[in-house]
Amino acid sequence: MATNEKVDVVIVGAGASASVFACVLAKAGKKVVMLEQGPDWHLEDLISSEIWGRRLKTVAPVSLEGKDRLGYSYNAGWGSGGSAMHYFAMFPRLLPSDFDMKSRYGRGLDWPFAYDDLAPYYDRVAEDIGISGDAEAESRWRPKGKPYPMPPIKSFRHGDLWLKGFEALGITMARSTVAINSTEYKGRPACIYDGWCDTGCPTGALANPHMAYLGEARKKGAELRPFSSVTRVLTNPAGDKVTGVEYYDQKHERQVQEASLVILAAFVAQNPRLLLNSATDKHPNGLANRNGLVGRYIMAHTGATIWGLFDEADVQNYMGVVGPMHWSYDRYGKTARKDAFGSILWHCSPALKPNDIGGIANSRNDLFGQALVDFIKRGSRQLSRVQAFGEELPNADNRLELIGQKDAFGFPMAKITHSYDKDAIGVWEQATEEGLAIAKAAGAKESWAIRPAPTIHMAGGTAMGKSAADSVANGFGQTHEIGNLWISGVTLFPTEGAVNPTYTIYAMSLRAAEHLAANWSTIAS
Amino acid sequence: MSETNRRAVMLGGALGALAFMVEGREVWLTPRQAHAEGVVMRVLDAGEVETLEAMGETLLPGARKAGIANFVDHQLVVPPGDCLLMARIANVLPPFANFYHAALGGIEKASQAAHGKRFAALTGAEQYDFVDRLRQNKIEGWQGPPPPFVYFLLRHDAVDVTYGTVEGIESLGIPYMAHILPEQRW
């Protein structure tokens, strides 16, 4: 075993959230080490191929159970940049009603802060990483903030052709907001609309963490150690402080990294698993888990997914970005649907490739043989898609638990049990019916919906809140039980709204990291 | 910089290859080339290769010559973290070879039970019917991973190897538009 020189901060993970903390703290003069389970990616590693893009996703670290098993590996990341290396860079904000659902509707959980607390950080992230969009159009649905630094990205026919359908259903669409350059920005080029965003954008037009906070963090001296698998958070004998982490390096040799402060910035399976695997006699249920909430409230988005085949000779569906060109919060109201509570966000439409989960072939999983060949040929120029993300309420029974099976280092693996409730399914079913009507009104010659409801995005597992009785951490991610043990990222979400999580992850991480830097002497001492 | 020039710059980026073992030496080949040259498999046995190729061809005509068996076999040799199979992102727990042995074995057992013949020896109509029942989880006495999941993954492998490549996409008449070409035109 090797014990490394003590540092100020050790961060578990090197994704979107980790990169913000590393950047802010390194700029504040702190010695920062990031421990990343996978490789350290560079732009030249990113290959435009759905097959090769799978390297950016994790190999299943968890057993999946329940009625609606999570599509975990597809959503998770592996390597520096985390899942934001293969994300679609779709950057919707949560709305004010997402932050106080328990108080406002008696459903779900409240966040420990309000939209107004986060809004300035949304605006700053837009400037920091480069976001293209139309803030004026968004102000129809949210409090007005600063304009985005770049105008919206280009639209293509495969997105524009849906607008007639949305209009017919009374849904106002706006140009989408994406972390992709529509113009040159801070020395990074504009997008060339090749539709390979999710395989890792090697041009730098898409704001993956390397292009923004992670790059800055490393310039300021933050160290990233790839192939470092963290197995436990270490505590002092009294159990009132963490002292660092134990990890295994690429040679599977045990290492200890001591630190004044530990930040868990991994994904939905690993943050709670690490806390549970770090149990001691002072913390027999795991760290920060006196109330038994570590691992609970894991959520996903349903996706009402409607495909349409159009008669036009070429809808240019091989061009564009993998995120949407247009979107709408018009149906976001949580009580807008009969007998089903929760929000939805409509959006259209992605650039398509023949293969992979979101590809042309998978849109008709029932077809095979010559029928599949014929469909792929037609779909490669005439297929398009609309989708509505649907909210799932936090449910304590959707949870991660340790199991008897051990990983390569001898530590218990985890299982995640996940099932949608009747609200999530009700919202998804009604959105699906609306989507089919949109397709018909848009003039699709054939249209169909994907069933059953998929699981898109992941959130929760170490929910934050105002009270130590009903949450794991406070609004900055500081655990209620151990002051120098912090959590960051999507596992803190008490609710998920119906939007992609990364913009909110960046904004709340920036807010928390600056709070930590400003109060370092009291928090880390 | 113009878009054309920028694309050209990116095309000059890092290129690698798929390394197949040929007569004890590593040779850089596409799976299509590996199939044509009869490269020896390292994980799948001859019966499994026969079944996988017949399944691939039934699922998507062209998959056999595109090298579905060579592609899968190659990816079962590499460490899980380097694996490019759909199984990786469909939450299959490694080693992925376990899934393929169980799935292909299940197909053979079911084919023998229903027809008294190997799957590869069935008529085209029988193979089509078998796959249709596999898709719908209607194979009696099935022994193996869930049949619809077997269908899902093998179908993905067939699509990957046939249309997920530079040649495959360009065969559809649409431009590949790579920022960086995949290794060995993958």
Side-chain angles (χ1 to χ4, degrees):
Chain A
M1 183 193 79
T3 298
N4 295 272
E5 182 184 354
K6 184 177 178 180
V7 298
D8 293 314
V9 188
V10 62
I11 302 176
V12 180
S17 177
S19 69
V20 176
F21 273 90
C23 180
V24 170
L25 294 173
K27 281 183 174 176
K30 304 304 174 195
K31 187 165 176 51
V32 178
V33 167
M34 289 174 276
L35 299 174
E36 166 54 47
Q37 191 171 24
D40 186 14
W41 300 117
H42 298 276
L43 286 182
E44 59 268 28
D45 297 325
L46 304 178
I47 296 172
S48 300
S49 159
E50 294 293 342
I51 298 170
W52 283 92
R54 291 171 194 153
R55 294 179 306 166
L56 305 176
K57 301 180 181 185
T58 194
V59 175
V62 61
S63 175
L64 300 163
E65 299 185 8
K67 180 170 63 67
D68 304 290
R69 296 180 184 188
L70 295 181
Y72 192 87
S73 295
Y74 179 75
N75 286 278
W78 191 62
S80 59
S83 55
M85 288 302 288
H86 61 75
Y87 72 164
F88 296 1
M90 180 176 171
F91 266 41
R93 302 180 184 207
L94 290 170
L95 296 190
S97 60
D98 290 315
F99 290 83
D100 57 359
M101 282 170 51
K102 181 73 173 176
S103 302
R104 193 186 291 230
Y105 303 107
R107 306 296 302 271
L109 301 167
D110 283 345
W111 287 53
F113 50 83
Y115 177 86
D116 287 344
D117 297 317
L118 203 57
Y121 297 93
Y122 276 131
D123 287 341
R124 284 181 50 201
V125 168
E127 294 286 338
D128 285 349
I129 73 173
I131 290 181
S132 302
D134 183 349
E136 189 64 34
E138 278 184 41
S139 66
R140 169 186 173 86
W141 300 300
R142 64 166 172 85
K144 197 165 183 171
K146 287 184 179 176
Y148 291 115
M150 287 174 281
I153 55 168
K154 277 185 192 175
S155 71
F156 291 84
R157 181 61 187 152
H158 65 92
D160 295 342
L161 55 74
W162 291 99
L163 296 180
K164 185 171 73 171
F166 281 107
E167 184 179 7
L169 273 286
I171 298 172
T172 299
M173 301 295 283
R175 300 302 308 282
S176 65
T177 301
V178 294
I180 297 172
N181 291 355
S182 60
T183 61
E184 283 196 13
Y185 189 73
K186 291 188 175 180
R188 290 163 36 210
C191 178
I192 53 175
Y193 302 103
D194 284 356
W196 291 112
C197 315
D198 59 323
T199 65
C201 173
T203 72
L206 183 148
N208 70 42
H210 288 276
M211 295 293 97
Y213 297 109
L214 186 54
E216 280 294 304
R218 298 175 89 166
K219 282 180 193 166
K220 294 295 180 184
E223 181 190 355
L224 193 156
R225 295 182 196 154
F227 297 112
S228 300
S229 300
V230 179
T231 46
R232 281 192 303 164
V233 180
L234 305 174
T235 53
N236 63 1
D240 59 355
K241 284 191 182 304
V242 296
T243 58
V245 299
E246 171 195 76
Y247 71 98
Y248 287 79
D249 63 19
Q250 191 166 9
K251 296 176 181 171
H252 282 208
E253 291 179 357
R254 182 171 178 260
Q255 303 266 349
V256 168
Q257 179 58 63
E258 296 181 334
S260 299
L261 190 132
V262 173
I263 301 172
L264 303 185
F267 202 48
V268 170
Q270 297 295 43
N271 270 0
R273 177 177 173 240
L274 265 176
L275 291 170
L276 296 175
N277 266 338
S278 302
T280 67
D281 58 337
K282 298 293 189 299
H283 299 275
N285 298 324
L287 302 184
N289 194 32
R290 278 188 203 128
N291 55 18
L293 290 178
V294 168
R296 294 189 183 271
Y297 301 124
I298 289 176
M299 300 165 279
H301 286 132
T302 62
T305 308
I306 287 75
W307 292 91
L309 270 169
F310 293 82
D311 265 354
E312 295 181 28
D314 185 357
V315 300
Q316 297 180 295
N317 56 0
Y318 44 88
M319 295 288 290
V321 297
V322 178
M325 303 168 217
H326 308 280
W327 70 18
S328 179
Y329 286 81
D330 262 14
R331 297 291 194 260
Y332 204 81
K334 297 185 188 298
T335 58
R337 279 155 290 277
K338 188 173 184 296
D339 299 328
F341 181 92
S343 297
I344 66 166
L345 179 80
W346 276 114
H347 53 95
C348 70
S349 59
L352 299 176
K353 305 298 178 187
N355 56 328
D356 212 71
I357 297 283
I360 293 166
N362 205 38
S363 74
R364 283 292 303 271
N365 193 42
D366 57 319
L367 297 179
F368 64 94
Q370 189 58 43
L372 178 57
V373 174
D374 295 342
F375 175 77
I376 291 173
K377 286 180 176 174
R378 185 180 174 197
S380 63
R381 286 190 183 272
Q382 296 181 311
L383 184 67
S384 187
R385 182 183 88 190
V386 291
Q387 190 174 56
F389 293 141
E391 182 172 19
E392 177 186 22
L393 298 182
N395 174 351
D397 292 335
N398 285 333
R399 63 181 299 200
L400 176 144
E401 300 166 278
L402 298 180
I403 57 176
Q405 191 176 350
K406 302 289 176 61
D407 67 12
F409 310 105
F411 284 86
M413 293 181 66
K415 71 171 180 181
I416 297 177
T417 304
H418 176 265
S419 303
Y420 286 129
D421 65 13
K422 68 179 180 57
D423 280 296
I425 293 299
V427 167
W428 169 77
E429 284 177 343
Q430 291 180 53
T432 297
E433 290 308 311
E434 184 168 52
L436 289 168
I438 290 166
K440 186 175 181 183
K445 292 303 171 191
E446 297 174 37
S447 57
W448 62 95
I450 297 298
R451 299 177 189 278
T455 58
I456 303 170
H457 309 136
M458 313 282 138
T462 62
M464 60 182 167
K466 286 182 177 169
S467 163
D470 58 14
S471 59
V472 175
N474 68 20
F476 297 109
Q478 182 181 29
T479 61
H480 293 302
E481 288 179 25
I482 302 176
N484 67 338
L485 173 59
W486 284 51
I487 300 167
S488 74
V490 78
T491 65
L492 290 171
F493 281 27
T495 60
E496 60 173 3
V499 302
N500 312 59
T502 309
Y503 196 6
T504 300
I505 291 170
Y506 271 129
M508 63 185 236
S509 299
L510 185 57
R511 175 177 175 271
E514 291 189 344
H515 171 82
L516 174 57
N519 297 278
W520 177 264
S521 58
T522 54
I523 292 169
S525 64
Chain B
M1 189 183 292
S2 73
E3 289 189 1
T4 304
N5 286 341
R6 183 141 52 89
R7 196 188 307 279
V9 168
M10 300 314 297
L11 283 171
L15 295 179
L18 287 181
F20 287 91
M21 294 300 292
V22 179
E23 296 176 352
R25 292 183 303 114
E26 281 193 345
V27 178
W28 308 109
L29 299 170
T30 67
R32 183 181 294 277
Q33 292 168 330
H35 172 79
E37 295 190 14
V39 170
V40 175
M41 304 291 171
R42 297 167 69 184
V43 175
L44 302 176
D45 66 28
E48 290 171 329
V49 168
E50 183 184 52
T51 304
L52 179 55
E53 290 188 338
M55 274 296 292
E57 195 64 17
T58 307
L59 288 161
L60 188 66
R64 185 197 311 268
K65 284 190 175 177
I68 183 172
N70 296 83
F71 175 57
V72 169
D73 186 78
H74 181 277
Q75 295 301 314
L76 297 181
V77 172
V78 303
D82 294 335
C83 182
L84 305 177
L85 294 171
M86 176 60 73
R88 174 198 181 118
I89 63 168
N91 304 304
V92 175
L93 287 172
F96 302 123
N98 291 352
F99 170 83
Y100 282 90
H101 291 316
L104 297 171
I107 290 167
E108 275 315 310
K109 285 176 198 159
S111 179
Q112 290 286 357
H115 301 283
K117 291 189 284 189
R118 294 181 55 78
F119 178 79
L122 302 182
T123 66
E126 288 170 335
Q127 288 175 329
Y128 185 94
D129 178 67
F130 184 99
V131 170
D132 203 30
R133 288 188 290 117
L134 185 78
R135 174 180 74 82
Q136 298 176 75
N137 199 15
K138 290 182 176 175
I139 294 185
E140 290 183 15
W142 171 261
Q143 298 173 54
F149 192 55
V150 171
Y151 168 86
F152 174 82
L153 283 188
L154 297 186
R155 180 179 180 275
H156 265 292
D157 292 336
V159 175
D160 275 347
V161 79
T162 309
Y163 289 115
T165 62
V166 175
E167 293 90 343
I169 287 181
E170 290 180 347
S171 77
L172 296 169
I174 54 177
Y176 191 87
M177 301 183 298
H179 296 302
I180 298 174
L181 278 174
E183 300 176 32
Q184 285 290 305
R185 292 177 66 78
W186 267 89

